[in-house]
Amino acid sequence: MKSMEKIVSLCKRRGYLFQSSEIYGGIQGFWDYGPLGVELKRNLKDAWWHDMISGHNELVKPESAPTPFEMVGLDSTIIMHPQVWKCSGHYDLFHDHMVDCRESKKRYRFDQIRGRWVEYQDKKVFVTTMAEAEQELEEVRRRGMKFFRLRNKDADKITVGDESLTLDKLDSTENVLAPDAKSLDTLTEPREFNLMFKTTLGALGGEDDTTFLRPETAQGIFVNFKNVLDSSRVGLPFGIGQVGKSFRNEITPRNFTFRSREFEQMEIEFFCHPDQSQQWYRYWRDRRLAWYKELGLSDESLIMREHHQEELAHYSVGTADIEYAFPFLPEGEYGELEGIAHRGDFDLRSHMEGKLDPSTRPMQVELGEDGKPKYRGSGRDLSYRDEATNEKFVPHVVEPSAGADRGALAFLCEAYTEDEAPDEKGKMQTRTVMKLHPRLAPIKAAVFPLVKKDGMPEVAHEIYGELKRHMNVFYDEKGAVGRRYRRQDEAGTPYCITVDTDTLTDRTVTIRDRDTLEQTRVKIDDVVADLRTRING
């Protein structure tokens, strides 16, 4: 199993990710992307945008799709009218369950506290910890011994359970030792905690001026459905894609960038006829899983998990999660990478008529005590008229919703590899290499002169300048060429171009492949085309 500790260390050392406001001690749940990290994340978003939106050919029916379809883009605001969040259900329903520890005064998300049963003599307690998965067993054992007041020499007198459980799987918290407590039964009953960040519009700051930072990008698409329909001449089926920031006031952000308070989403809202919605749901579910595999995530690390009925959101007809085996999770467990939801007509109807009542089937507008809609809709007609059949209906929606930050983290975890490669003297040495797909790699190629003389730097400058017009490349002439290779391997650079003595006579260079270590001679005039083929092939 890969070590999350090593991956986090590399991310800091090589400039992939930094703790936000680190010089002031950091701020939990917020992360900054360094010089390599910002390129990786941008490349991931660009790949998604090209493959899903701008590169889509609406004239051709993709394999397994019911029909051809159109795709367009949108960029909506982070702050929207407060009524958006009332009609969408976020104002009432967007919450997690939290517990407070009466002893430590700390707050935790109920379903994120993990622990194991620990037995000593005739007493059995559930010892919890917020440590990462790879430290969990050791930390539970340490805390269990401390609770029972045992010394190291008595370690074999306690029994630690094999099964790691979250707190929500227990019937009671009576025998629970909270993560930062010394006594049992210090946790309160779970309570609902709204995850939206409040903010204020205007200068007065009264209750009527309260609004929220968006917790998802989807609602910006729904409220613009009619605008896109009227301005773009698109017809059903079609999708609207958006990449943008979202904010959730997570109770216990943890696991590196997996659960953050500020994050970026890559979302599609795909509008279709109700009779075809199940087919489109299956199409997008399978297509999105295949996309991750095309960019390098392995079959062994990915699963597709259909939600059980009790897990479904209030709007959902069906939901599947693409999950990845992140190294911070216990072996055999997976974390959500992307959700594909069949949302039915909930969103468009809610923004037309008012917030729908999730307890009704079929869903009806939720009424207040006065018998009027609890949260009034816009009153705008968001239905669709099919010009060919003259049929009028509210489209159903399929939503593939991916996290750019979780995606970047998954690709970093997948890419981290330790193998052996010869150094400059031919001796085998352990090599740390980030085997990122060339489309995602922050630096596409590095250019080296073999030595800093004999005209080699001048030729290397020429090649570097030409490549820089087409892609992100790096120039390095410091140190032995073997060490330069190692630096680029650790940064994830897929190709290194070396100018040597032969270059000065035949105008060819060596292109070295990061993964296979194969070296190929290529004419200088062909380098740009050769790299483009390698990267996009």
Side-chain angles (χ1 to χ4, degrees):
M1 189 173 177
K2 294 184 181 182
S3 165
M4 200 65 208
E5 191 176 331
K6 288 184 177 180
I7 294 170
V8 172
S9 175
L10 181 139
C11 286
K12 171 72 183 293
R13 185 173 70 252
R14 294 312 308 255
Y16 274 102
L17 282 153
F18 307 128
Q19 176 77 55
S20 177
S21 313
E22 185 181 358
I23 63 170
Y24 290 104
I27 177 169
Q28 195 177 19
F30 297 90
W31 296 90
D32 298 332
Y33 285 79
L36 290 186
V38 71
E39 294 290 339
L40 170 65
K41 189 176 173 185
R42 183 184 298 276
N43 291 343
L44 178 63
K45 292 185 292 182
D46 287 349
W48 182 90
W49 190 265
H50 176 270
D51 295 348
M52 300 299 120
I53 314 296
S54 62
H56 172 71
N57 184 350
E58 71 278 6
L59 304 179
V60 177
K61 184 180 89 68
E63 186 179 352
S64 77
T67 64
F69 60 91
E70 296 179 85
M71 296 295 294
V72 294
L74 183 77
D75 186 5
S76 63
T77 59
I78 287 171
I79 295 176
M80 293 188 285
H81 194 290
Q83 199 69 11
V84 169
W85 307 113
K86 292 178 179 178
C87 288
S88 70
H90 288 81
Y91 189 77
D92 285 345
L93 301 170
F94 193 62
H95 60 257
D96 278 336
H97 286 90
M98 67 179 186
V99 290
D100 292 317
C101 179
R102 290 183 288 266
E103 181 184 313
S104 69
K105 310 303 180 188
K106 291 188 177 182
R107 179 171 291 170
Y108 310 96
R109 183 167 146 176
F110 186 55
D111 62 351
Q112 287 181 353
I113 304 178
R114 303 191 71 91
R116 299 176 186 232
W117 286 104
V118 177
E119 289 185 69
Y120 173 64
Q121 294 180 347
D122 60 346
K123 190 166 180 62
K124 187 176 180 181
V125 299
F126 189 77
V127 180
T128 66
T129 176
M130 299 301 289
E132 304 295 349
E134 53 196 13
Q135 283 96 39
E136 180 187 302
L137 179 59
E138 182 182 341
E139 178 66 8
V140 166
R141 182 178 294 279
R142 185 192 67 78
R143 296 198 70 221
M145 289 180 61
K146 188 173 181 179
F147 176 80
F148 288 117
R149 298 181 182 179
L150 298 174
R151 298 184 179 183
N152 289 337
K153 65 178 183 179
D154 300 318
D156 59 346
K157 293 183 179 179
I158 67 168
T159 303
V160 180
D162 295 330
E163 189 177 10
S164 172
L165 299 170
T166 49
L167 208 57
D168 56 317
K169 301 293 192 298
L170 304 185
D171 295 329
S172 163
T173 60
E174 184 180 350
N175 292 311
V176 169
L177 181 66
D180 298 283
K182 297 177 182 177
S183 308
L184 299 179
D185 198 17
T186 62
L187 295 174
T188 62
E189 287 294 312
R191 292 180 294 149
E192 292 181 356
F193 175 75
N194 194 290
L195 299 178
M196 287 196 293
F197 277 105
K198 285 186 179 181
T199 189
T200 303
L201 287 174
L204 297 179
E207 189 62 33
D208 291 342
D209 301 317
T210 297
T211 187
F212 305 92
L213 302 185
R214 67 182 180 195
E216 63 175 28
T217 61
Q219 298 305 319
I221 297 177
F222 294 128
V223 299
N224 277 294
F225 169 72
K226 204 70 172 178
N227 288 333
V228 173
L229 200 61
D230 294 343
S231 63
S232 306
R233 297 180 61 204
V234 291
L236 257 62
F238 75 95
I240 302 175
Q242 178 167 214
V243 177
K245 292 270 190 178
S246 295
F247 304 82
R248 296 182 185 180
N249 195 11
E250 294 283 355
I251 301 162
T252 50
R254 58 189 305 230
N255 292 332
F256 203 22
T257 59
F258 180 77
R259 194 173 296 282
S260 304
R261 288 175 168 140
E262 177 182 335
F263 55 96
E264 208 156 359
Q265 290 181 286
M266 308 181 294
E267 286 196 305
I268 294 168
E269 303 304 329
F270 190 81
F271 301 93
C272 59
H273 192 284
D275 292 346
Q276 288 190 318
S277 58
Q278 283 293 348
Q279 292 172 271
W280 284 114
Y281 170 65
R282 289 192 292 270
Y283 166 77
W284 280 108
R285 183 193 63 186
D286 297 343
R287 183 179 176 191
R288 291 301 303 144
L289 179 63
W291 186 79
Y292 286 105
K293 293 179 182 179
E294 288 165 9
L295 287 177
L297 296 189
S298 65
D299 278 328
E300 298 76 28
S301 299
L302 286 168
I303 61 168
M304 176 78 76
R305 187 180 70 84
E306 289 281 353
H307 282 208
H308 299 298
Q309 191 64 37
E310 61 272 15
E311 291 182 274
L312 294 177
H314 57 281
Y315 55 75
S316 183
V317 181
T319 298
D321 284 345
I322 299 171
E323 297 183 338
Y324 179 75
F326 288 97
F328 51 74
L329 296 171
E331 193 165 356
E333 290 194 17
Y334 297 79
E336 183 187 347
L337 193 57
E338 173 166 349
I340 299 91
H342 183 329
R343 300 177 73 119
D345 60 3
F346 172 84
D347 301 281
L348 293 179
R349 279 191 57 205
S350 289
H351 289 303
M352 286 171 63
E353 306 165 21
K355 178 180 174 288
L356 300 181
D357 184 350
S359 66
T360 58
R361 289 292 183 275
M363 280 191 276
Q364 304 294 321
V365 174
E366 187 172 345
L367 303 178
E369 293 180 358
D370 57 1
K372 296 179 180 179
K374 183 178 180 181
Y375 298 121
R376 180 176 47 82
S378 67
R380 298 289 181 89
D381 184 3
L382 301 181
S383 60
Y384 176 82
R385 186 181 296 279
D386 189 317
E387 291 182 2
T389 65
N390 208 34
E391 181 187 7
K392 188 176 181 181
F393 57 90
V394 177
H396 275 204
V397 175
V398 177
E399 178 195 74
S401 177
D405 302 272
R406 286 191 182 182
L409 179 59
F411 284 109
L412 282 169
C413 292
E414 186 75 28
Y416 185 90
T417 308
E418 291 180 358
D419 62 15
E420 288 197 341
D423 61 15
E424 59 271 15
K425 297 178 181 177
K427 186 178 179 181
M428 298 301 288
Q429 299 284 354
T430 299
R431 176 180 75 138
T432 299
V433 54
M434 296 297 286
K435 293 188 175 182
L436 291 162
H437 191 286
R439 288 183 70 192
L440 302 182
I443 302 167
K444 306 303 184 190
V447 182
F448 306 152
L450 188 62
V451 293
K452 292 191 289 184
K453 60 182 181 179
D454 300 333
M456 293 184 203
E458 289 76 8
V459 177
H461 290 173
E462 174 194 336
I463 296 168
Y464 175 77
E466 180 60 27
L467 285 170
K468 197 73 172 173
R469 294 167 54 195
H470 304 279
M471 62 192 75
N472 191 28
V473 290
F474 186 81
Y475 181 85
D476 191 0
E477 59 181 27
K478 297 176 181 177
V481 72
R483 284 197 289 275
R484 284 181 267 171
Y485 283 150
R486 294 299 180 91
R487 288 196 289 264
Q488 294 307 311
D489 290 342
E490 198 174 60
T493 306
Y495 307 110
C496 291
I497 301 163
T498 304
V499 174
D500 55 24
T501 51
D502 289 341
T503 307
L504 305 177
T505 57
D506 62 10
R507 298 264 315 160
T508 65
V509 292
T510 297
I511 298 184
R512 178 245 197 196
D513 185 286
R514 175 197 65 205
D515 300 337
T516 66
L517 303 181
E518 181 183 356
Q519 299 194 18
T520 311
R521 298 298 297 191
V522 176
K523 290 185 178 297
I524 289 176
D525 293 342
D526 297 336
V527 166
V528 172
D530 184 272
L531 285 180
R532 278 180 163 169
T533 300
R534 290 171 185 255
I535 291 167
N536 298 313

